[in-house]
Amino acid sequence: MRRLVKPLIGVLGVLPLVWLTFAVLTGRTSANPAEDIILTTGIWSLRFLLASLAITPLRRLTGWNVLIQYRRMLGLFAFFYACVHLAGYLAFDRFFAFDEVFADLAKRPFITAGMVAFALMVPLAITSTRGWIRSLGRRWQLLHRLVYVSAIAAVIHYLWKVKADSTLPLRYALLLAVLLGLRLWWLRRRLPRPAAAAPAR
Ligand code: HEM
């Protein structure tokens, strides 16, 4: 099963990029292919990020512990699409004028939120190897909680980017709220209840 699912996720993971490249090369994009590249890679990065966050709740709800094997792959695809997204922004939006990038960071809150989301993904991607998991021990889990902050920043980035109709970003925000809410709920149930007050004599 594992031998089949991993390559399948691998193929599904590169499909958006293959389709995007094909669309750009064959003129199947909108009138603004650069924008299409940035938007498509941004949304796929968010989708993979949320998919990786969905693994733990799905595992708990279904009891399918094998799902955990696919979390890293999904997270790495999120990072991969975020890298292409950032490269697209730097190349097509800012033509590698880094003074403009810094001005954007200071003046456009949605860009700041995107950068925060991306910056937090970097240590997660670097430490996703078996070697790092082993050498960081318990600290690895602590570090990887940054994924929650990264996902919140990514959803805020999307919400602030959209000016007219916020329906779609709100749906992603709702999904993230459910995924994080379930974790909080399970965490609360695991914590010991405060001792009942001693009865008055
Ligand atoms: C590295 C920092 C980032 C920068 C500079 C950046 C920049 C941008 C820009 C300029 C757009 C609007 C493109 C346009 O309207 O033409 C955009 C849209 C978007 N970005 Fe980012 N982004 C960053 C990180 C991220 C990350 C990490 C994610 C997801 C995890 C993400 C998800 C999105 C989404 C979902 C959209 C909207 C897509 C749509 O409307 O269909 N971005 N980003």
Side-chain angles (χ1 to χ4, degrees):
M1 184 71 172
R2 187 180 171 208
R3 279 209 201 132
L4 205 78
V5 178
K6 277 210 166 172
L8 193 72
I9 297 181
V11 171
L12 289 177
V14 293
L15 263 185
L17 187 72
V18 171
W19 170 250
L20 189 62
T21 313
F22 173 73
V24 170
L25 294 178
T26 57
R28 282 178 166 79
T29 54
S30 70
N32 189 344
E35 193 184 61
D36 290 351
I37 293 172
I38 299 174
L39 295 182
T40 310
T41 48
I43 201 73
W44 277 102
S45 175
L46 183 60
R47 284 175 185 160
F48 280 112
L49 194 58
L50 294 180
S52 73
L53 281 173
I55 292 287
T56 299
L58 275 177
R59 195 178 139 207
R60 283 199 66 154
L61 292 170
T62 60
W64 295 344
N65 288 329
V66 287
L67 289 176
I68 196 74
Q69 301 169 11
Y70 311 116
R71 193 172 59 179
R72 182 168 70 152
M73 250 182 129
L74 294 169
L76 286 175
F77 271 123
F79 181 64
F80 169 70
Y81 280 101
C83 289
V84 185
H85 182 65
L86 174 61
Y89 159 79
L90 292 176
F92 306 129
D93 256 19
R94 290 294 160 243
F95 307 104
F96 296 110
F98 286 96
D99 51 334
E100 288 182 21
V101 174
F102 287 117
D104 261 1
L105 266 172
K107 285 197 209 126
R108 299 170 80 190
F110 100 91
I111 296 284
T112 319
M115 280 290 182
V116 169
F118 181 77
L120 293 175
M121 281 178 163
V122 175
L124 304 184
I126 293 174
T127 60
S128 68
T129 59
R130 269 181 234 280
W132 274 105
I133 297 174
R134 219 175 302 122
S135 59
L136 285 177
R138 268 197 64 75
R139 281 171 301 163
W140 186 89
Q141 272 180 337
L142 273 177
L143 177 72
H144 277 248
R145 295 213 176 116
L146 284 180
V147 69
Y148 307 141
V149 190
S150 174
I152 292 170
V155 164
I156 292 175
H157 168 66
Y158 190 11
L159 273 166
W160 284 350
K161 180 253 158 193
V162 172
K163 287 172 197 103
D165 184 4
S166 301
T167 316
L168 214 55
L170 278 175
R171 280 191 197 154
Y172 282 93
L174 184 70
L175 178 61
L176 178 65
V178 171
L179 295 175
L180 298 186
L182 278 171
R183 281 174 166 82
L184 275 180
W185 188 59
W186 282 319
L187 186 75
R188 266 200 59 183
R189 287 204 327 174
R190 254 201 344 220
L191 290 178
R193 290 175 188 279
R201 295 187 181 211

